[in-house]
């Protein structure tokens, strides 16, 4: 069993899910965020930290043998906000990992790295980036830093381009992008157990009939997502009006993010 897994962004939506569902995957879960995390439970350590602070991140990472990096801005915002949390934050994390024995990193990247691809296009790991905002650009930066630290220092990472991780798919687009919480947990578990990881991009989506992304390049890891958004098709058809084909949410893989302005600080 792993000794200590660090979860950054542990107070957020996915962090709260993993706080529960990764219990028992390591002797200790070190939970970190700049937002309040409440008291530590059994098998938990709470370490508050702003990831844009390099010294604090250096201390945060010490003693961890795996990292799930969720912390940062998770939607489109001004460049200033994204720069400090997502650009400096990732730089600080990789520098700290390098100094502390190179624990494996699961980096929460996003489908917004490729958001301007049309929904009729099938993508694989060789498809070009088409970010739909500065948020998507910052995730491409994170993937590039991971690649640099792999080639230069042998730092292993899983670059998980998460689609939409929610308890169930909520709209027509999510029939393609949905990642169930359990499949996310099994992905993290697979990544930490794999004999070889390297620096591998993985599409973070469940086994959806309506999916857009081909993960066959990452078959060597052995991850087998079990859930399928098709189980919710009837419910969505009954409750969610179908958008017109030219609406961003139905046209582009990044959905409504493609309709965002460039935000000012
Ligand atoms: P969230 O916004 O709920 O959580 C992010 C957490 O990061 C928050 O608790 C926030 O306080 C923390 N944070 C922000 N700036 C920080 C800083 N400077 N220092 C320390 N902590 C900071 O986001 P969510 O939905 O939980 O997503 C987690 C990660 O997964 C994010 O990196 C997001 O970009 C990525 N992701 C999530 C998807 C989803 O479906 N939820 C889809 C694609 C990517
Ligand atoms: C993301 O990257 C966001 O963090 C999340 O809030 C969702 O909007 C998701 O993508 C999505 O595209 O559904």
């Amino acid at each position: 069993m792993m000794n200590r897994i660090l979860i950054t962004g542990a107070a957020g939506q996915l962090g709260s899910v993993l706080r529960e569902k990764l219990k028992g995957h390591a002797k200790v879960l070190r939970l970190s965020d700049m937002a309040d995390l409440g008291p530590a439970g059994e098998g938990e350590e709470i370490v508050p930290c702003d990831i844009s602070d390099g010294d604090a991140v250096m201390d945060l990472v010490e003693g961890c043998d795996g990292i799930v990096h969720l912390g940062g801005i998770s939607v489109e915002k001004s460049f200033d906000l994204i720069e400090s949390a997502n650009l400096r934050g990732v730089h600080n994390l990789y520098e700290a990992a390098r100094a502390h024995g190179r624990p494996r990193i699961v980096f929460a990247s996003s489908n917004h790295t490729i958001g301007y691809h049309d929904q009729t296009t099938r993508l694989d790991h060789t498809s070009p980036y088409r970010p739909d905002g500065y948020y998507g650009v910052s995730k491409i930066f994170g993937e590039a830093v991971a690649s640099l630290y792999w080639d230069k220092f042998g730092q292993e990472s899983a670059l998980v381009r998460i689609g939409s991780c929610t308890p169930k798919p909520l709209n027509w687009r999510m029939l393609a992008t949905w990642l169930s919480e359990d499949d996310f947990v099994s992905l993290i578990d697979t990544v930490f157990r794999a004999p070889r990881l390297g620096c591998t991009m993985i599409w973070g989506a469940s086994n959806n009939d309506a999916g857009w992304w081909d993960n066959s390049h990452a078959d060597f890891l052995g991850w087998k997502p079990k859930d399928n958004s098709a189980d919710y098709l009837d419910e969505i058809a009954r409750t969610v009006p179908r958008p017109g084909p030219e609406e961003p949410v139905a046209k582009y893989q990044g959905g409504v993010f493609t309709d965002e302005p460039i935000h000012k600080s």
Side-chain angles (χ1 to χ4, degrees):
M1 187 195 281
M2 293 171 77
N3 243 344
R4 184 180 283 102
I5 296 176
L6 166 64
I7 304 176
T8 68
Q13 182 214 319
L14 297 188
S16 309
V17 171
L18 295 186
R19 183 175 184 171
E20 287 311 310
K21 291 192 182 255
L22 285 183
K23 254 185 202 150
H25 285 240
K27 288 186 192 139
V28 178
L29 290 183
R30 177 174 290 176
L31 307 168
S32 181
D33 205 296
M34 62 194 289
D36 183 33
L37 279 154
E42 204 187 322
E44 292 182 347
E45 288 173 355
I46 306 288
V47 183
C49 174
D50 179 341
I51 54 171
S52 64
D53 176 342
D55 292 339
V57 176
M58 198 52 83
D59 293 343
L60 177 67
V61 167
E62 187 170 11
C64 297
D65 47 2
I67 300 174
V68 183
H69 182 49
L70 306 173
I73 303 292
S74 63
V75 291
E76 189 60 6
K77 294 273 187 203
S78 74
F79 177 70
D80 286 347
L81 285 173
I82 285 173
E83 179 190 22
S84 97
N86 292 19
L87 304 192
R88 287 192 185 283
V90 164
H91 162 75
N92 292 339
L93 187 84
Y94 275 82
E95 273 296 277
R98 178 162 82 97
H100 293 300
R102 289 180 275 122
R104 274 187 186 172
I105 297 176
V106 176
F107 171 59
S109 185
S110 170
N111 71 88
H112 297 288
T113 52
I114 52 79
Y116 265 116
H117 280 284
D118 203 279
Q119 291 187 8
T120 55
T121 310
R122 296 288 168 273
L123 304 185
D124 65 19
H125 66 300
T126 66
S127 301
Y129 290 124
R130 294 188 73 175
D132 54 30
Y134 272 108
Y135 166 62
V137 169
S138 76
K139 295 295 185 180
I140 294 171
F141 175 85
E143 292 190 6
V145 170
S147 173
L148 169 68
Y149 278 63
W150 164 242
D151 285 328
K152 223 179 243 306
F153 306 117
Q155 167 70 51
E156 292 191 299
S157 298
L159 313 176
V160 185
R161 286 189 198 153
I162 303 171
S164 310
C165 190
T166 45
K168 61 181 190 174
L170 302 172
N171 55 44
W172 290 89
R173 172 177 167 272
M174 283 193 198
L175 291 173
T177 60
W178 185 53
L179 172 65
S180 74
E181 295 172 351
D182 285 347
D183 283 338
F184 189 29
V185 171
S186 79
L187 173 56
I188 293 167
D189 190 51
T190 301
V191 162
F192 284 145
R193 283 174 192 272
R196 176 172 69 87
L197 173 62
C199 183
T200 302
M201 189 284 288
I202 304 155
W203 300 101
S206 284
N207 185 30
N208 304 324
D209 289 352
W212 300 320
W213 305 319
D214 177 359
N215 254 337
S216 50
H217 69 284
D219 280 352
F220 73 95
L221 289 172
W223 180 50
K224 298 223 180 315
K226 295 202 168 12
D227 292 312
N228 188 334
S229 60
D231 294 342
Y232 299 88
L233 176 57
D234 289 347
E235 184 180 331
I236 287 174
R238 259 188 292 109
T239 56
V240 184
R242 192 160 197 161
E246 287 309 311
E247 289 183 48
V249 71
K251 186 168 167 54
Y252 296 113
Q253 298 196 3
V256 292
F257 279 54
T258 61
D259 220 14
E260 289 272 345
I262 299 295
H263 293 260
K264 298 292 173 200
S265 19

